[in-house]
Amino acid sequence: LVLSLAWLGPALGGEDKDEELIEEEEKEKEEDEVLSDEIKEEDNVLVLHEHNFARALSEHQLLLVEFYAPWCGHCQRLAPAFAQAATELRNGSSPARLGKVDATAQTALATEFGITSYPTLKLFRDGNRTHPLEYTGHMDSQGILRWMQRRAGPSATLLQDTDTIAAFINSQDLVAIGFFKDLKGESAQAFFEVAAEMVDLMFGVAEAPELFQAYGLSDDTVCLFKKFDERQTNFPVDPARGLDTAELRRLLHVHSLQLVMEFTSETSNQIFSAKIPHHMLLFLNKSSPEQLSLRDSFRAAAGDFRGEVLFVVVDVTGHGADVLPFFGMTAADAPTMRLVKMKNNRKYQMEQDNFSDSAIRTFIQAVLDGKVKPHLLSAEPPEDWDTQPVKVLVGKTFEQVAFDETKNVFVKFYAPWCPHCQAMAATWEELAERYKDREDIVIAKMDSTANELENITIHGYPTLHYFPAGPGRKMVEYKGTRDVETFSKFLENGGTLPEEPP
């Protein structure tokens, strides 16, 4: 037995050692694969990590990289469009390629490039990794493709004679052409930069003297040609300051919109993304010839406020019917006008609708000068608004309840359709039941879709504000945990949450 064990022991030990060696070799092989700078592809998208990133930059003149998280829904929706754009770029022999980085696994890269949200897309040019360009195009395959093509090739088409330039202008509803005496000068280069950015607009460039003359120009000028409103809009280049790219983008964006827009399913996205601070709305019934005629004076007033106020016609019997509740209106209120400040949704109404162009100009200027008070929506207070534990506030009653100097008032601002508000309703009722016998504490709610307040803007639902007793019209936003016990601690502690012991 002893002899047998003497032979068996080393043999067993040898087998264990062999298994360990195999496992170690496999582990080293895996590590070698991870450390390799080999670049693999998935659906023509380069799969990048910290060990092959530098190689990818050196091999590809233009590389758009998506930093993603595997669990991110937005990333998952983008993936097929990203792959399609990658395939089209590769099949088209473009110098541009697309790559992706799992930012949750490649933390060093995520840190290096300041990735804080997903997906984030960055463009790397000529191997430079210190100054990547943020992606600003649409998140769909054609948007990615156009954005990359503008950067891979000339961003503006060179137009050399009158026939070519005329054909270019007629090819689209909207084109921008830069007329420059020196295409290598700073102003022309700034124009090319804008052209690379604004991929939804066709850009051309011209330097021939006869083309300047053909379009009534003598100095460097950017012209916007369109098949609506005025045919040609000129933006002269300041000889001293040169071409300001930010200002040119703004001007092209503003003047690309029709002077008076009609609110439809096709134009709604343009209207809301226009980044024009005020919207002047004419609500009318298009089936009424008399009301349709009001568009003439509305258009006559629009030119004075271009870029500052966007003029929009809303058909109350068409697509515009859906927005009437937002203004507390019905179709029977047409024709009427409202001016909206987009930053806070404040609405302004003329004291008496006067549809002349001079009256419209006067009204708009008075709003811009701060001389008109906003028109605030308010529902009628329910007869039993204060009989239940949760008091029901409306715009008309808010001030007298919330700023009652003898009460501490805790208000939930909600939207009836909001699922978060619906989920919190029972908790709010329970809190109100707990304090229903306290004379100094009021638990209330207000439907912010039907009621507006002059000095309080609600940006999300539900929003909770506490109005403490005493003078001074104070207001405290509640940002703690939303459960009955934490709410109670907040109320008992006078509108602040007590510090918890460590």
Side-chain angles (χ1 to χ4, degrees), residues 421-471:
C421 303
Q422 294 162 7
M424 196 180 128
T427 301
W428 204 246
E429 292 285 349
E430 185 180 341
L431 179 70
E433 187 68 31
R434 180 176 292 193
Y435 287 95
K436 67 179 181 180
D437 296 325
R438 285 280 296 268
E439 291 291 329
D440 60 327
I441 292 178
V442 175
I443 308 299
K445 65 180 181 180
M446 191 176 87
D447 177 358
S448 289
T449 66
N451 299 279
E452 296 172 324
L453 304 171
E454 185 170 358
N455 298 312
I456 300 173
T457 302
I458 305 302
H459 296 288
Y461 305 115
T463 291
L464 308 177
H465 284 313
Y466 175 77
F467 301 85

Side-chain angles (χ1 to χ4, degrees), residues 146-455:
R146 286 198 303 268
W147 198 85
M148 291 299 286
Q149 287 170 336
R150 282 286 175 92
R151 283 156 177 77
S155 58
T157 303
L158 179 60
L159 306 167
Q160 297 178 309
D161 54 57
T162 53
D163 290 341
T164 306
I165 197 169
F168 184 80
I169 290 170
N170 290 324
S171 67
Q172 305 284 332
D173 287 344
L174 195 69
V175 298
I177 300 177
F179 293 81
F180 298 99
K181 295 177 179 177
D182 178 9
L183 291 184
K184 294 182 179 179
E186 289 185 8
S187 293
Q189 294 306 307
F191 178 78
F192 285 123
E193 181 184 329
V194 172
E197 186 71 25
M198 298 184 68
V199 297
D200 292 331
L201 181 62
M202 292 290 291
F203 285 79
V205 67
E207 64 174 343
E210 61 267 25
L211 297 183
F212 276 73
Q213 184 178 357
Y215 290 93
L217 307 172
S218 56
D219 297 309
D220 287 359
T221 306
V222 176
C223 299
L224 188 64
F225 295 92
K226 43 193 171 181
K227 293 181 180 177
F228 54 87
D229 296 338
E230 66 277 13
R231 174 71 176 169
Q232 176 180 338
T233 305
N234 297 341
F235 308 113
V237 177
D238 188 309
R241 294 189 301 114
L243 189 65
D244 184 314
T245 56
E247 177 63 8
L248 179 59
R249 280 195 298 268
R250 189 190 72 81
L251 289 170
L252 291 175
H253 188 70
V254 166
H255 287 268
S256 293
L257 298 170
Q258 293 183 36
L259 183 62
V260 176
M261 305 279 290
E262 182 174 347
F263 182 65
T264 66
S265 56
E266 291 76 26
T267 64
S268 59
N269 187 54
Q270 271 185 296
I271 290 169
F272 291 123
S273 62
K275 296 182 180 177
I276 294 178
H278 306 87
H279 289 183
M280 183 66 178
L281 311 178
L282 169 60
F283 294 89
L284 53 78
N285 186 331
K286 285 184 70 176
S287 64
S288 164
E290 183 182 353
Q291 292 190 25
L292 270 179
S293 67
L294 300 175
R295 292 182 302 183
D296 295 336
S297 55
F298 194 63
R299 170 178 287 277
D304 291 354
F305 300 96
R306 192 155 208 169
E308 180 70 13
V309 181
L310 181 63
F311 281 61
V312 183
V313 172
V314 182
D315 179 12
V316 297
T317 61
H319 187 67
D322 293 337
V323 301
L324 292 177
F326 177 71
F327 293 90
M329 290 168 46
T330 67
D333 292 313
T336 187
M337 290 180 290
R338 300 287 187 277
L339 189 144
V340 184
K341 283 190 176 180
M342 299 305 290
K343 69 176 181 180
N344 57 14
N345 278 331
R346 289 287 180 266
K347 308 170 191 72
Y348 298 82
Q349 179 180 1
M350 298 172 80
E351 288 185 9
Q352 183 177 356
D353 282 322
N354 183 332
F355 298 98
S356 71
D357 56 311
S358 60
I360 294 171
R361 288 191 195 95
T362 301
F363 168 70
I364 292 174
Q365 194 58 56
V367 173
L368 298 181
D369 293 341
K371 296 177 180 177
V372 181
K373 285 199 169 188
H375 176 73
L376 302 173
L377 292 180
S378 177
E380 291 301 319
E383 290 184 4
D384 60 346
W385 71 271
D386 63 345
T387 61
Q388 300 299 317
V390 177
K391 313 307 177 188
V392 180
L393 304 184
V394 297
K396 295 177 179 179
T397 60
F398 181 84
E399 287 273 324
Q400 68 189 63
V401 176
F403 294 108
D404 183 338
E405 295 185 3
T406 66
K407 311 282 187 186
N408 299 289
V409 184
F410 202 10
V411 182
K412 176 181 73 171
F413 298 89
Y414 73 98
W417 45 258
C418 165
H420 301 293
C421 303
Q422 294 162 7
M424 196 180 128
T427 301
W428 204 246
E429 292 285 349
E430 185 180 341
L431 179 70
E433 187 68 31
R434 180 176 292 193
Y435 287 95
K436 67 179 181 180
D437 296 325
R438 285 280 296 268
E439 291 291 329
D440 60 327
I441 292 178
V442 175
I443 308 299
K445 65 180 181 180
M446 191 176 87
D447 177 358
S448 289
T449 66
N451 299 279
E452 296 172 324
L453 304 171
E454 185 170 358
N455 298 312

